[in-house]
């Protein structure tokens, strides 16, 4: 079970990352990239924090993958989006969601599943696991509310899509802290994850750099920014009791007088960021020597049908030659 649990974490990281360069990466290049990135980037980061590596030895806390999964995916996704290049101009200009109701279904499943994501990390039905599940839901609920309030103040209307973004940032930000903070800590993380990633997405995301790099689903903002935020707030808000319950020797975070934990969390973030920038860039450049990273312009115009021989949304009669009046 432990091996499978870790396997799913690894798979989730790549799924998240893929959201940054949807709509133009060559499927062949993706198939080569996945095992290489898992081997040379994800595994290194995971071992450094969870497998007894140097970040673990230093005392960096990542309860359930804020750094290992989300920061890695957000940074690698941004680098990939920059190297691969943007989607077609028409796709960027008209990027309306296809089905908001199905998005809500997926969001509900995601939130539910996150209870296993964070609650499963103690590998036991323990008090620590219960605290992690409770904190996960508290922080996420607060983040949804705060993100929605930010939308109301800035855009003058609440948005379902915005609420889902706030849900994701809340889930991501509480992940590194879930079992080592108390309820007030979870509330504070939820407030911060409803504000900081919102500002990143809606302010920083409109700057020249972020307009140039086509991060399709805003993975940098929802995962990298929220992941760093949660990791640093873990250094601020981790409690002695929470660390002890999870089997850590850390004497809590800044809230318990251990300000050094904040510095350790920054070191952990810096290593994961640097690792993913370097490895992702090198791997994509090497793969580009073997196969193109992008689909051809013709394939981009046609879409899924050109690559897989399938239509994501097919209507009756599509592609058929039917007689019309006068034939």
């Amino acid at each position: 079970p432990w091996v499978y649990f870790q396997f799913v974490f690894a798979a989730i990281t790549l799924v998240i990352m893929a959201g940054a360069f949807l709509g133009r990466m060559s499927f062949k290049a993706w198939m080569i990239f996945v095992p290489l990135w898992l081997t040379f980037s994800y595994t290194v980061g995971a071992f450094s924090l969870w497998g007894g590596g140097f970040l673990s030895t230093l005392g960096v806390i990542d309860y359930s993958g804020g750094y290992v999964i989300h920061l890695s995916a957000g940074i690698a996704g941004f680098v990939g989006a920059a190297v691969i290049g943007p989607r077609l101009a028409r796709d960027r200009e008209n990027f309306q969601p296809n089905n908001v109701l199905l998005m809500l279904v997926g969001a509900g499943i995601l939130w539910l599943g996150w209870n296993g994501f964070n609650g499963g990390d103690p590998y036991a039905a323990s008090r620590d696991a219960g605290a992690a599940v409770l904190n996960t839901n508290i922080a996420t609920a607060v983040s949804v509310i705060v993100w929605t309030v930010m939308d109301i103040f800035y855009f003058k209307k609440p948005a379902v899509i915005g609420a889902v973004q706030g849900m994701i940032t809340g889930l991501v930000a509480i992940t590194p802290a879930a079992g080592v903070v108390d309820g007030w800590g979870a509330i504070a993380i939820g407030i911060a994850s409803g504000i900081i990633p919102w500002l990143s997405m809606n302010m920083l995301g409109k700057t020249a750099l972020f307009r140039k790099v086509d991060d399709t689903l805003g993975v940098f903002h929802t995962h990298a920014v929220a992941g760093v935020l949660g990791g640093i707030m873990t250094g601020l808000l981790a409690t002695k009791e929470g660390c002890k319950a999870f089997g850590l020797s850390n004497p809590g975070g800044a809230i318990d007088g251990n300000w050094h934990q904040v510095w350790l969390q920054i070191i952990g973030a810096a290593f994961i960021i640097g690792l993913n920038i370097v490895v992702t860039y090198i791997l994509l450049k090497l793969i580009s020597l073997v196969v193109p990273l992008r689909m051809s312009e013709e394939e981009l115009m046609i879409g899924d049908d050109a690559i897989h021989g399938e239509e994501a949304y097919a209507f009756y009669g599509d592609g058929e030659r039917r007689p019309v009046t006068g034939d």
Side-chain angles (χ1 to χ4, degrees):
W2 182 84
V3 172
Y4 183 74
F5 189 62
Q6 291 296 326
F7 168 78
V8 173
F9 274 10
I12 287 170
T13 308
L14 279 155
V15 171
I16 295 168
M17 184 201 310
F21 34 77
L22 284 174
R24 74 275 200 187
M25 188 174 188
S26 159
F27 190 71
K28 290 179 181 177
W30 172 251
M31 292 294 287
I32 299 170
F33 176 76
V34 167
L36 292 176
W37 188 87
L38 279 176
T39 302
F40 295 106
S41 184
Y42 179 85
T43 304
V44 174
F47 180 81
S48 70
L49 280 157
W50 289 344
F54 84 101
L55 292 180
S56 174
T57 303
L58 280 176
V60 179
I61 300 172
D62 186 2
Y63 186 86
S64 197
Y67 286 175
V68 173
I69 297 166
H70 300 289
L71 180 55
S72 294
I75 296 298
F78 189 78
V79 172
V83 174
I84 297 165
R87 289 166 290 165
L88 293 176
R90 69 173 192 179
D91 290 337
R92 298 188 71 181
E93 291 164 5
N94 183 18
F95 188 42
Q96 295 298 312
N98 176 268
N99 194 317
V100 174
L101 291 178
L102 276 182
M103 178 196 71
L104 280 173
V105 171
I109 295 171
L110 183 68
W111 190 335
L112 177 66
W114 220 284
N115 291 296
F117 192 100
N118 287 348
D121 246 315
Y123 310 120
S126 59
R127 289 186 299 171
D128 185 35
V133 170
L134 183 61
N135 286 335
T136 296
N137 285 278
I138 290 172
T140 304
V142 171
S143 185
V144 170
I145 293 168
V146 172
W147 189 292
T148 302
V149 170
M150 294 286 285
D151 276 350
I152 291 171
F153 274 105
Y154 189 77
F155 297 112
K156 309 304 180 186
K157 60 185 69 175
V160 171
I161 295 173
V164 171
Q165 299 281 30
M167 179 203 83
I168 294 170
T169 58
L171 290 168
V172 170
I174 194 59
T175 290
V180 297
V181 298
D182 60 15
W184 288 110
I187 291 172
I189 289 172
I191 293 171
S193 68
I195 296 173
I196 305 301
W198 187 97
L199 292 171
S200 173
M201 179 174 286
N202 292 290
M203 301 299 174
L204 184 63
K206 290 181 171 58
T207 61
L209 172 63
F210 285 89
R211 285 199 302 268
K212 183 177 180 181
V213 178
D214 183 18
D215 178 355
T216 309
L217 299 183
V219 172
F220 177 84
H221 309 289
T222 54
H223 293 271
V225 173
V228 168
L229 175 67
I232 292 174
M233 292 194 74
T234 301
L236 290 169
L237 300 170
T239 65
K240 292 179 182 177
E241 294 79 8
C243 291
K244 184 178 178 181
F246 192 47
L248 301 175
S249 59
N250 305 57
I255 196 171
D256 278 331
N258 180 26
W259 282 93
H260 183 62
Q261 190 62 48
V262 178
W263 174 241
L264 292 178
Q265 298 301 112
I266 293 172
I267 291 173
F271 174 75
I272 295 297
I273 290 170
L275 172 71
N276 281 280
I277 289 174
V278 172
V279 174
T280 305
Y281 181 82
I282 291 173
L283 288 178
L284 287 172
K285 286 298 183 180
L286 289 175
I287 292 169
S288 70
L289 301 176
V290 181
V291 296
L293 294 177
R294 291 172 61 84
M295 292 187 285
S296 68
E297 294 298 307
E298 182 181 2
E299 289 170 335
L300 287 172
M301 292 291 290
I302 298 172
D304 290 339
D305 191 48
I307 305 302
H308 305 292
E310 299 169 323
E311 287 282 0
Y313 296 92
F315 296 95
Y316 179 77
D318 271 6
E320 295 179 9
R321 177 70 173 94
R322 291 180 293 174
V324 295
T325 304
D327 277 2

